[in-house]
Amino acid sequence: MSDSATIQKQSIETSNAIVDRAGVNPFRDALVDAGLLIPTGVQGLFGRSGQFERVVDGLDALITRLGADQNAEVLRFPPAMSRTEFERSEYLKGFPQLAGTVHSFCGGEHEQQRVLQCLERGEDWTEHQKPTYVVLTPAACYPVYPVIAQRGHLPEEGRIVDAFSYCFRHEPSLDPTRMQLFRMREYIRLGTAEQIQAFRSEWIERGTRMIDMLELPNSIDLANDPFFGRGGKIVARSQREQNLKFELLIPIESEDRLTACLSFNYHMDHFGLLWGIKTQDGGVAHTGCVGFGLERLTLGLFRHHGFDIEKWPQKVRDALWGNA
Amino acid sequence: MSDSATIQKQSIETSNAIVDRAGVNPFRDALVDAGLLIPTGVQGLFGRSGQFERVVDGLDALITRLGADQNAEVLRFPPAMSRTEFERSEYLKGFPQLAGTVHSFCGGEHEQQRVLQCLERGEDWTEHQKPTYVVLTPAACYPVYPVIAQRGHLPEEGRIVDAFSYCFRHEPSLDPTRMQLFRMREYIRLGTAEQIQAFRSEWIERGTRMIDMLELPNSIDLANDPFFGRGGKIVARSQREQNLKFELLIPIESEDRLTACLSFNYHMDHFGLLWGIKTQDGGVAHTGCVGFGLERLTLGLFRHHGFDIEKWPQKVRDALWGNA
């Protein structure tokens, strides 16, 4: 899930409403004061309180119930993926600045002494950190495609996969709706173009119904990913012209600023071609996904219903935690 | 949680029982064939099936019930922590080879072109990846200490924190009980030496009861962490001599090989000194923790009760998922 619509809307306002003065973000400060988010000293990296997690768990369960008829295969991956598959994904063409590669110390005892000396002197100690075969997951669906590709042709009805993962994006920010590490739940559809488009229409409707149940103001808008660089602007325009990405937007930080909380994506044959995913008749599979940003939805609920969960509207509480 | 006892036991056998022939691990292969683990092409990095996750969730809930009387504060962190706090932790003194630092692309469009060219040619493209302020979490308790330190002196009764996180250790292995990314649940005790030791004794007893409920063979043993290098051997010996680390061991890969699944740690004033955590009377706080390796426990259950959850003993199923 990405949020270029948000970025575009943000860029207009960066200098006033959102950041009152250097280093201060009122909504973030209020969340921290209430103990819902715990600062770590790194922008966009927070601990979460038990209350925050209760909301995340409730959202996760609600999404499971909304998708119960999808007969989705549950696949869960750690927050990292194979570097080889990451390289194949072409993520580095679109978003090199957001990716996080994992590096490890590969020296011996002599080099360790050097590391410890550098640390003591406050110097850069990372010289002996070398790239591993692991890259942080940029979106919950990325580890799924190579796994499905390995199983051979899709069945006639295609496949639906249910994924969930912490994801990493290197965009340090004071804005609590723009975390470096956040959780994304996804349903991923693989099949024919018609299957993907029907899936996406269905989930735009369901996603809207879900957010209505949570009594949050929302709107659907056409969007594009924040592709890197000047060339990226052309790709982004093309993505919009082809209606490939829709987002469900909720005002969170302020009333006049919208944050993408769900995204509804149609990748056409992009991932099918990259990983050689085939439909039953041997054609290149199309793919799409609906992504739920769990931190953003949680923040939206705290913004609109207050910091005390016990005082949330009963209908919202029922949607999250059932009537029991 | 670490597992030097296992390492010592393993080292004797590495050439025969565990790895039948190069690149093959029978237990791993059986788990993959059953669809419980999904290979990613990277050693120690697996996807998990819905059934696998059901067991993890059951264990997590069981640990919550076992610790209900602890009045622990729930703190949840993403799978990464502040690099500054990580550096302070002295992890690089003990385990430089296991840590994972997160690096990101910091170039412009020209450098991105170079990255894409390298990728196309199959050359190393990571030259422009620079260390971020984020390091993967090595154990679930690490992000907790700086947060507690910032709150000032501990109350008289000390504190207990409930933590849970994906953790990273760079030790690629064919052995499925030695994953690079795995989940650790912990209760962390901060207070006086007496409080920590009482907590640890209590949890050695509770942990044993928990594993008995799960009908898994187990034993408690004195252990030490796998500290790096020749100097590390001295530190490890001292850790054993001071009885700082106990582990609950379960045979998983084979009957004569034991894997540490729970660990019971007494850090003395190590973390208290590093972060300046103080008891109510101003003394340096002692700390300790009990850690539960959720992937290892799950693998132990599959090993001893079979791959079909529906056929597990009713008592075990009740312990994991309640009588309802």
Side-chain angles (χ1 to χ4, degrees):
Chain A
M1 202 173 72
S2 81
D3 25 38
S4 53
T6 317
I7 287 174
Q8 291 172 346
K9 280 156 200 142
Q10 273 183 348
S11 59
I12 305 164
E13 301 175 82
T14 312
S15 55
N16 47 61
I18 302 145
V19 179
D20 268 4
R21 50 189 193 276
V24 176
N25 176 297
F27 184 48
R28 173 194 176 283
D29 292 349
L31 291 158
V32 168
D33 289 345
L36 294 165
L37 292 183
I38 297 111
T40 66
V42 176
Q43 287 187 358
L45 187 70
F46 296 98
R48 282 84 162 148
S49 73
Q51 290 293 82
F52 192 100
E53 292 296 294
R54 205 178 143 212
V55 178
V56 170
D57 291 346
L59 287 165
D60 193 36
L62 173 57
I63 295 164
T64 299
R65 288 198 301 278
L66 279 173
D69 66 345
Q70 304 281 288
N71 294 316
E73 177 182 357
V74 174
L75 285 177
R76 294 288 180 264
F77 290 87
M81 63 181 292
S82 150
R83 177 148 70 96
T84 307
E85 301 301 348
F86 173 79
E87 290 169 353
R88 192 195 306 267
S89 77
E90 297 192 346
Y91 193 82
L92 290 167
K93 276 193 186 172
F95 319 100
Q97 80 285 17
L98 297 179
T101 48
V102 178
H103 297 226
S104 280
F105 173 77
C106 296
E109 296 187 48
H110 179 72
E111 291 78 12
Q112 187 207 18
Q113 285 312 311
R114 172 95 187 106
V115 165
L116 298 177
Q117 278 167 15
C118 286
L119 266 175
E120 198 153 315
R121 295 178 192 148
E123 296 168 3
D124 179 28
W125 55 271
T126 59
E127 177 192 357
H128 295 287
Q129 297 293 107
K130 304 297 177 200
T132 69
Y133 290 102
V134 169
V135 174
L136 294 184
T137 303
C141 59
Y142 273 68
V144 170
Y145 303 111
V147 165
I148 300 298
Q150 281 186 0
R151 295 190 187 162
H153 290 202
L154 296 173
E156 191 179 347
E157 68 277 14
R159 285 191 192 279
I160 302 182
V161 174
D162 168 347
F164 172 92
S165 175
Y166 254 108
C167 300
F168 177 80
R169 304 220 178 132
H170 186 244
E171 40 179 2
S173 168
L174 281 169
D175 177 355
T177 67
R178 189 166 296 283
M179 294 189 186
Q180 292 201 60
L181 276 151
F182 58 93
R183 280 162 287 188
M184 192 189 296
R185 178 86 183 268
E186 286 195 42
Y187 290 108
I188 301 133
R189 185 77 172 100
L190 307 99
T192 63
E194 293 72 31
Q195 285 168 339
I196 312 309
Q197 288 175 321
F199 170 88
R200 190 170 67 159
S201 300
E202 170 71 27
W203 273 100
I204 289 177
E205 190 274 317
R206 281 188 196 201
T208 302
R209 186 150 37 93
M210 169 184 164
I211 305 307
D212 286 342
M213 286 166 71
L214 298 174
E215 301 188 2
L216 296 173
N218 64 83
S219 55
I220 300 283
D221 203 357
L222 189 60
N224 55 263
D225 288 312
F227 295 101
F228 184 74
R230 280 165 301 179
K233 292 207 173 68
I234 299 164
V235 184
R237 195 182 310 139
S238 159
Q239 189 183 31
R240 287 181 78 89
E241 282 168 0
Q242 294 178 86
N243 291 355
L244 299 184
K245 186 178 195 76
F246 287 90
E247 291 175 333
L248 185 145
L249 303 162
I250 300 176
I252 299 180
E253 275 234 296
S254 69
E255 285 191 21
D256 54 354
R257 192 170 140 260
L258 301 174
T259 298
C261 292
L262 277 64
S263 74
F264 312 91
N265 305 281
Y266 176 31
H267 316 125
M268 300 179 70
D269 59 4
H270 178 69
F271 291 126
L273 281 169
L274 288 177
W275 276 288
I277 307 170
K278 297 281 171 63
T279 55
Q280 194 186 39
D281 65 6
V284 178
H286 284 226
T287 63
C289 63
V290 50
F292 304 81
L294 297 183
E295 270 73 9
R296 288 182 173 184
L297 286 169
T298 301
L299 293 171
L301 286 160
F302 281 120
R303 161 62 88 183
H304 290 278
H305 302 315
F307 288 177
D308 183 354
I309 292 177
E310 307 304 325
K311 294 184 180 155
W312 287 6
Q314 192 59 43
K315 201 184 118 190
V316 174
R317 295 171 52 85
D318 287 347
L320 290 170
W321 302 296
N323 297 297
Chain B
M1 202 174 74
S2 81
D3 26 42
S4 54
T6 317
I7 287 174
Q8 292 172 348
K9 279 153 198 142
Q10 272 183 350
S11 60
I12 305 163
E13 301 178 84
T14 313
S15 56
N16 47 60
I18 302 146
V19 179
D20 269 4
R21 51 188 192 279
V24 176
N25 176 296
F27 185 48
R28 175 194 176 281
D29 292 349
L31 291 158
V32 168
D33 289 346
L36 293 165
L37 291 182
I38 296 110
T40 66
V42 176
Q43 286 187 359
L45 187 70
F46 295 98
R48 283 85 161 146
S49 73
Q51 290 294 86
F52 192 99
E53 292 296 295
R54 206 180 140 208
V55 179
V56 170
D57 290 345
L59 287 164
D60 193 36
L62 173 58
I63 295 163
T64 298
R65 287 198 301 277
L66 279 173
D69 67 345
Q70 303 281 290
N71 294 317
E73 178 183 357
V74 174
L75 286 177
R76 294 289 180 262
F77 289 88
M81 64 183 290
S82 150
R83 178 148 71 95
T84 307
E85 302 300 348
F86 173 79
E87 290 169 354
R88 191 194 308 266
S89 77
E90 298 192 345
Y91 193 83
L92 289 167
K93 276 193 186 170
F95 319 100
Q97 79 285 16
L98 298 180
T101 47
V102 178
H103 297 228
S104 280
F105 173 77
C106 296
E109 296 188 48
H110 180 71
E111 290 77 13
Q112 185 205 20
Q113 285 311 311
R114 172 96 186 105
V115 164
L116 298 178
Q117 277 166 16
C118 287
L119 266 175
E120 197 154 317
R121 294 177 194 151
E123 294 169 4
D124 179 26
W125 56 271
T126 59
E127 177 193 357
H128 296 286
Q129 297 294 107
K130 303 297 176 199
T132 69
Y133 290 100
V134 169
V135 175
L136 294 184
T137 303
C141 58
Y142 273 67
V144 169
Y145 303 111
V147 166
I148 300 298
Q150 281 186 0
R151 295 191 189 162
H153 290 203
L154 296 173
E156 192 179 346
E157 69 276 15
R159 286 191 191 278
I160 303 183
V161 173
D162 169 347
F164 173 91
S165 174
Y166 254 107
C167 300
F168 178 80
R169 303 219 178 135
H170 187 242
E171 41 179 1
S173 168
L174 282 169
D175 178 352
T177 67
R178 191 167 293 285
M179 294 189 186
Q180 293 200 61
L181 276 152
F182 57 94
R183 279 161 288 188
M184 192 190 296
R185 177 85 183 267
E186 285 194 44
Y187 290 109
I188 302 132
R189 186 76 173 101
L190 306 99
T192 64
E194 295 70 31
Q195 286 168 339
I196 313 307
Q197 287 175 323
F199 170 88
R200 190 170 67 159
S201 300
E202 170 70 29
W203 274 102
I204 290 176
E205 190 273 316
R206 281 187 195 200
T208 303
R209 185 149 40 90
M210 169 185 164
I211 305 306
D212 287 343
M213 286 166 73
L214 298 175
E215 300 187 3
L216 296 174
N218 64 84
S219 56
I220 300 283
D221 204 356
L222 189 60
N224 56 263
D225 288 312
F227 295 101
F228 184 74
R230 282 165 301 177
K233 291 203 173 69
I234 299 164
V235 184
R237 195 182 310 137
S238 160
Q239 190 183 29
R240 286 181 78 89
E241 282 168 1
Q242 294 178 85
N243 292 354
L244 299 184
K245 187 180 193 75
F246 288 90
E247 291 174 331
L248 184 145
L249 303 162
I250 300 175
I252 299 179
E253 272 234 297
S254 68
E255 284 188 23
D256 54 355
R257 190 170 142 262
L258 300 174
T259 298
C261 293
L262 276 64
S263 74
F264 313 91
N265 304 282
Y266 177 32
H267 316 124
M268 301 179 72
D269 59 4
H270 179 68
F271 291 126
L273 281 169
L274 289 177
W275 276 289
I277 307 170
K278 298 281 170 61
T279 55
Q280 194 185 40
D281 65 6
V284 178
H286 284 226
T287 64
C289 63
V290 48
F292 303 81
L294 298 183
E295 270 74 9
R296 288 181 173 185
L297 286 168
T298 301
L299 292 171
L301 286 161
F302 281 120
R303 160 62 87 182
H304 289 279
H305 301 315
F307 287 177
D308 183 353
I309 292 176
E310 306 303 326
K311 294 183 178 154
W312 287 6
Q314 191 59 43
K315 200 185 117 189
V316 174
R317 294 170 51 85
D318 287 348
L320 290 169
W321 301 297
N323 297 296

PDB file of all heavy atoms in Angstrom, chain B residues 198-216:
ATOM      1  N   ALA B 198      13.812 -14.296  42.597  1.00  0.00           N
ATOM      2  CA  ALA B 198      12.525 -14.929  42.912  1.00  0.00           C
ATOM      3  C   ALA B 198      11.694 -15.120  41.646  1.00  0.00           C
ATOM      4  O   ALA B 198      11.076 -16.176  41.429  1.00  0.00           O
ATOM      5  CB  ALA B 198      11.757 -14.063  43.925  1.00  0.00           C
ATOM      6  N   PHE B 199      11.703 -14.095  40.808  1.00  0.00           N
ATOM      7  CA  PHE B 199      10.984 -14.157  39.526  1.00  0.00           C
ATOM      8  C   PHE B 199      11.498 -15.315  38.686  1.00  0.00           C
ATOM      9  O   PHE B 199      10.728 -16.091  38.116  1.00  0.00           O
ATOM     10  CB  PHE B 199      11.186 -12.820  38.792  1.00  0.00           C
ATOM     11  CG  PHE B 199      10.723 -12.792  37.353  1.00  0.00           C
ATOM     12  CD1 PHE B 199       9.401 -12.465  37.044  1.00  0.00           C
ATOM     13  CD2 PHE B 199      11.604 -13.046  36.310  1.00  0.00           C
ATOM     14  CE1 PHE B 199       8.984 -12.411  35.716  1.00  0.00           C
ATOM     15  CE2 PHE B 199      11.183 -12.999  34.985  1.00  0.00           C
ATOM     16  CZ  PHE B 199       9.871 -12.680  34.696  1.00  0.00           C
ATOM     17  N   ARG B 200      12.814 -15.441  38.630  1.00  0.00           N
ATOM     18  CA  ARG B 200      13.372 -16.493  37.786  1.00  0.00           C
ATOM     19  C   ARG B 200      13.036 -17.882  38.320  1.00  0.00           C
ATOM     20  O   ARG B 200      12.662 -18.777  37.543  1.00  0.00           O
ATOM     21  CB  ARG B 200      14.883 -16.331  37.627  1.00  0.00           C
ATOM     22  CG  ARG B 200      15.403 -17.270  36.562  1.00  0.00           C
ATOM     23  CD  ARG B 200      16.830 -16.986  36.211  1.00  0.00           C
ATOM     24  NE  ARG B 200      17.721 -17.271  37.315  1.00  0.00           N
ATOM     25  CZ  ARG B 200      19.016 -17.491  37.172  1.00  0.00           C
ATOM     26  NH1 ARG B 200      19.557 -17.433  35.971  1.00  0.00           N
ATOM     27  NH2 ARG B 200      19.773 -17.746  38.202  1.00  0.00           N
ATOM     28  N   SER B 201      13.149 -18.070  39.608  1.00  0.00           N
ATOM     29  CA  SER B 201      12.808 -19.380  40.182  1.00  0.00           C
ATOM     30  C   SER B 201      11.358 -19.727  39.873  1.00  0.00           C
ATOM     31  O   SER B 201      11.035 -20.846  39.471  1.00  0.00           O
ATOM     32  CB  SER B 201      13.004 -19.363  41.700  1.00  0.00           C
ATOM     33  OG  SER B 201      14.332 -19.066  42.000  1.00  0.00           O
ATOM     34  N   GLU B 202      10.486 -18.737  40.066  1.00  0.00           N
ATOM     35  CA  GLU B 202       9.062 -18.928  39.805  1.00  0.00           C
ATOM     36  C   GLU B 202       8.827 -19.353  38.354  1.00  0.00           C
ATOM     37  O   GLU B 202       8.063 -20.270  38.065  1.00  0.00           O
ATOM     38  CB  GLU B 202       8.334 -17.615  40.121  1.00  0.00           C
ATOM     39  CG  GLU B 202       6.889 -17.521  39.689  1.00  0.00           C
ATOM     40  CD  GLU B 202       5.976 -18.421  40.515  1.00  0.00           C
ATOM     41  OE1 GLU B 202       6.307 -18.665  41.682  1.00  0.00           O
ATOM     42  OE2 GLU B 202       4.947 -18.876  39.959  1.00  0.00           O
ATOM     43  N   TRP B 203       9.528 -18.706  37.430  1.00  0.00           N
ATOM     44  CA  TRP B 203       9.279 -18.986  36.009  1.00  0.00           C
ATOM     45  C   TRP B 203       9.942 -20.278  35.543  1.00  0.00           C
ATOM     46  O   TRP B 203       9.471 -20.902  34.593  1.00  0.00           O
ATOM     47  CB  TRP B 203       9.657 -17.788  35.134  1.00  0.00           C
ATOM     48  CG  TRP B 203       8.490 -16.848  35.052  1.00  0.00           C
ATOM     49  CD1 TRP B 203       8.321 -15.673  35.735  1.00  0.00           C
ATOM     50  CD2 TRP B 203       7.298 -17.030  34.275  1.00  0.00           C
ATOM     51  NE1 TRP B 203       7.109 -15.111  35.426  1.00  0.00           N
ATOM     52  CE2 TRP B 203       6.458 -15.917  34.532  1.00  0.00           C
ATOM     53  CE3 TRP B 203       6.853 -18.013  33.401  1.00  0.00           C
ATOM     54  CZ2 TRP B 203       5.203 -15.776  33.935  1.00  0.00           C
ATOM     55  CZ3 TRP B 203       5.601 -17.870  32.798  1.00  0.00           C
ATOM     56  CH2 TRP B 203       4.791 -16.760  33.068  1.00  0.00           C
ATOM     57  N   ILE B 204      10.998 -20.692  36.190  1.00  0.00           N
ATOM     58  CA  ILE B 204      11.544 -22.019  35.864  1.00  0.00           C
ATOM     59  C   ILE B 204      10.494 -23.070  36.204  1.00  0.00           C
ATOM     60  O   ILE B 204      10.236 -24.006  35.436  1.00  0.00           O
ATOM     61  CB  ILE B 204      12.874 -22.270  36.609  1.00  0.00           C
ATOM     62  CG1 ILE B 204      13.980 -21.376  36.021  1.00  0.00           C
ATOM     63  CG2 ILE B 204      13.283 -23.749  36.524  1.00  0.00           C
ATOM     64  CD1 ILE B 204      15.323 -21.474  36.739  1.00  0.00           C
ATOM     65  N   GLU B 205       9.815 -22.858  37.322  1.00  0.00           N
ATOM     66  CA  GLU B 205       8.771 -23.792  37.733  1.00  0.00           C
ATOM     67  C   GLU B 205       7.572 -23.706  36.776  1.00  0.00           C
ATOM     68  O   GLU B 205       7.078 -24.717  36.271  1.00  0.00           O
ATOM     69  CB  GLU B 205       8.378 -23.457  39.181  1.00  0.00           C
ATOM     70  CG  GLU B 205       7.472 -24.477  39.858  1.00  0.00           C
ATOM     71  CD  GLU B 205       5.999 -24.205  39.569  1.00  0.00           C
ATOM     72  OE1 GLU B 205       5.570 -23.043  39.623  1.00  0.00           O
ATOM     73  OE2 GLU B 205       5.281 -25.188  39.281  1.00  0.00           O
ATOM     74  N   ARG B 206       7.132 -22.477  36.480  1.00  0.00           N
ATOM     75  CA  ARG B 206       5.976 -22.300  35.594  1.00  0.00           C
ATOM     76  C   ARG B 206       6.265 -22.785  34.178  1.00  0.00           C
ATOM     77  O   ARG B 206       5.397 -23.361  33.517  1.00  0.00           O
ATOM     78  CB  ARG B 206       5.600 -20.815  35.482  1.00  0.00           C
ATOM     79  CG  ARG B 206       4.830 -20.315  36.641  1.00  0.00           C
ATOM     80  CD  ARG B 206       4.360 -18.891  36.369  1.00  0.00           C
ATOM     81  NE  ARG B 206       3.945 -18.312  37.631  1.00  0.00           N
ATOM     82  CZ  ARG B 206       3.148 -17.277  37.753  1.00  0.00           C
ATOM     83  NH1 ARG B 206       2.706 -16.661  36.669  1.00  0.00           N
ATOM     84  NH2 ARG B 206       2.800 -16.822  38.928  1.00  0.00           N
ATOM     85  N   GLY B 207       7.461 -22.490  33.697  1.00  0.00           N
ATOM     86  CA  GLY B 207       7.831 -22.901  32.336  1.00  0.00           C
ATOM     87  C   GLY B 207       7.813 -24.421  32.223  1.00  0.00           C
ATOM     88  O   GLY B 207       7.316 -24.973  31.231  1.00  0.00           O
ATOM     89  N   THR B 208       8.319 -25.086  33.246  1.00  0.00           N
ATOM     90  CA  THR B 208       8.310 -26.544  33.241  1.00  0.00           C
ATOM     91  C   THR B 208       6.874 -27.060  33.252  1.00  0.00           C
ATOM     92  O   THR B 208       6.526 -27.983  32.498  1.00  0.00           O
ATOM     93  CB  THR B 208       9.078 -27.066  34.469  1.00  0.00           C
ATOM     94  OG1 THR B 208      10.406 -26.531  34.427  1.00  0.00           O
ATOM     95  CG2 THR B 208       9.146 -28.584  34.467  1.00  0.00           C
ATOM     96  N   ARG B 209       6.024 -26.434  34.078  1.00  0.00           N
ATOM     97  CA  ARG B 209       4.620 -26.829  34.115  1.00  0.00           C
ATOM     98  C   ARG B 209       3.962 -26.634  32.753  1.00  0.00           C
ATOM     99  O   ARG B 209       3.214 -27.487  32.277  1.00  0.00           O
ATOM    100  CB  ARG B 209       3.904 -25.992  35.198  1.00  0.00           C
ATOM    101  CG  ARG B 209       2.476 -26.357  35.443  1.00  0.00           C
ATOM    102  CD  ARG B 209       2.075 -26.108  36.906  1.00  0.00           C
ATOM    103  NE  ARG B 209       2.632 -24.873  37.455  1.00  0.00           N
ATOM    104  CZ  ARG B 209       2.022 -23.670  37.407  1.00  0.00           C
ATOM    105  NH1 ARG B 209       0.846 -23.537  36.827  1.00  0.00           N
ATOM    106  NH2 ARG B 209       2.580 -22.612  37.966  1.00  0.00           N
ATOM    107  N   MET B 210       4.269 -25.513  32.106  1.00  0.00           N
ATOM    108  CA  MET B 210       3.705 -25.235  30.778  1.00  0.00           C
ATOM    109  C   MET B 210       4.080 -26.334  29.784  1.00  0.00           C
ATOM    110  O   MET B 210       3.230 -26.843  29.050  1.00  0.00           O
ATOM    111  CB  MET B 210       4.221 -23.876  30.288  1.00  0.00           C
ATOM    112  CG  MET B 210       3.925 -23.585  28.816  1.00  0.00           C
ATOM    113  SD  MET B 210       4.688 -22.021  28.273  1.00  0.00           S
ATOM    114  CE  MET B 210       4.583 -22.225  26.483  1.00  0.00           C
ATOM    115  N   ILE B 211       5.352 -26.715  29.776  1.00  0.00           N
ATOM    116  CA  ILE B 211       5.797 -27.702  28.784  1.00  0.00           C
ATOM    117  C   ILE B 211       5.268 -29.095  29.151  1.00  0.00           C
ATOM    118  O   ILE B 211       4.992 -29.907  28.262  1.00  0.00           O
ATOM    119  CB  ILE B 211       7.336 -27.681  28.655  1.00  0.00           C
ATOM    120  CG1 ILE B 211       7.813 -26.249  28.342  1.00  0.00           C
ATOM    121  CG2 ILE B 211       7.817 -28.646  27.573  1.00  0.00           C
ATOM    122  CD1 ILE B 211       7.157 -25.610  27.132  1.00  0.00           C
ATOM    123  N   ASP B 212       5.081 -29.335  30.435  1.00  0.00           N
ATOM    124  CA  ASP B 212       4.416 -30.586  30.843  1.00  0.00           C
ATOM    125  C   ASP B 212       2.967 -30.611  30.340  1.00  0.00           C
ATOM    126  O   ASP B 212       2.475 -31.648  29.879  1.00  0.00           O
ATOM    127  CB  ASP B 212       4.432 -30.728  32.376  1.00  0.00           C
ATOM    128  CG  ASP B 212       5.819 -31.077  32.904  1.00  0.00           C
ATOM    129  OD1 ASP B 212       6.670 -31.518  32.091  1.00  0.00           O
ATOM    130  OD2 ASP B 212       6.054 -30.914  34.117  1.00  0.00           O
ATOM    131  N   MET B 213       2.276 -29.477  30.433  1.00  0.00           N
ATOM    132  CA  MET B 213       0.902 -29.394  29.907  1.00  0.00           C
ATOM    133  C   MET B 213       0.868 -29.715  28.417  1.00  0.00           C
ATOM    134  O   MET B 213      -0.118 -30.253  27.903  1.00  0.00           O
ATOM    135  CB  MET B 213       0.342 -27.977  30.109  1.00  0.00           C
ATOM    136  CG  MET B 213      -0.056 -27.617  31.526  1.00  0.00           C
ATOM    137  SD  MET B 213      -0.307 -25.806  31.682  1.00  0.00           S
ATOM    138  CE  MET B 213      -1.863 -25.609  30.790  1.00  0.00           C
ATOM    139  N   LEU B 214       1.933 -29.354  27.736  1.00  0.00           N
ATOM    140  CA  LEU B 214       2.003 -29.598  26.286  1.00  0.00           C
ATOM    141  C   LEU B 214       2.532 -30.996  25.981  1.00  0.00           C
ATOM    142  O   LEU B 214       2.735 -31.348  24.816  1.00  0.00           O
ATOM    143  CB  LEU B 214       2.873 -28.521  25.621  1.00  0.00           C
ATOM    144  CG  LEU B 214       2.343 -27.094  25.769  1.00  0.00           C
ATOM    145  CD1 LEU B 214       3.341 -26.083  25.193  1.00  0.00           C
ATOM    146  CD2 LEU B 214       0.981 -26.944  25.071  1.00  0.00           C
ATOM    147  N   GLU B 215       2.760 -31.773  27.046  1.00  0.00           N
ATOM    148  CA  GLU B 215       3.209 -33.163  26.919  1.00  0.00           C
ATOM    149  C   GLU B 215       4.460 -33.300  26.051  1.00  0.00           C
ATOM    150  O   GLU B 215       4.562 -34.176  25.194  1.00  0.00           O
ATOM    151  CB  GLU B 215       2.053 -34.036  26.400  1.00  0.00           C
ATOM    152  CG  GLU B 215       0.852 -33.991  27.354  1.00  0.00           C
ATOM    153  CD  GLU B 215      -0.274 -34.963  26.995  1.00  0.00           C
ATOM    154  OE1 GLU B 215      -0.118 -35.732  26.031  1.00  0.00           O
ATOM    155  OE2 GLU B 215      -1.292 -34.948  27.694  1.00  0.00           O
ATOM    156  N   LEU B 216       5.399 -32.422  26.311  1.00  0.00           N
ATOM    157  CA  LEU B 216       6.689 -32.486  25.611  1.00  0.00           C
ATOM    158  C   LEU B 216       7.777 -32.877  26.597  1.00  0.00           C
ATOM    159  O   LEU B 216       7.809 -32.355  27.721  1.00  0.00           O
ATOM    160  CB  LEU B 216       7.032 -31.120  25.005  1.00  0.00           C
ATOM    161  CG  LEU B 216       6.091 -30.603  23.915  1.00  0.00           C
ATOM    162  CD1 LEU B 216       6.457 -29.178  23.514  1.00  0.00           C
ATOM    163  CD2 LEU B 216       6.135 -31.518  22.689  1.00  0.00           C
TER     164      LEU B 216
END
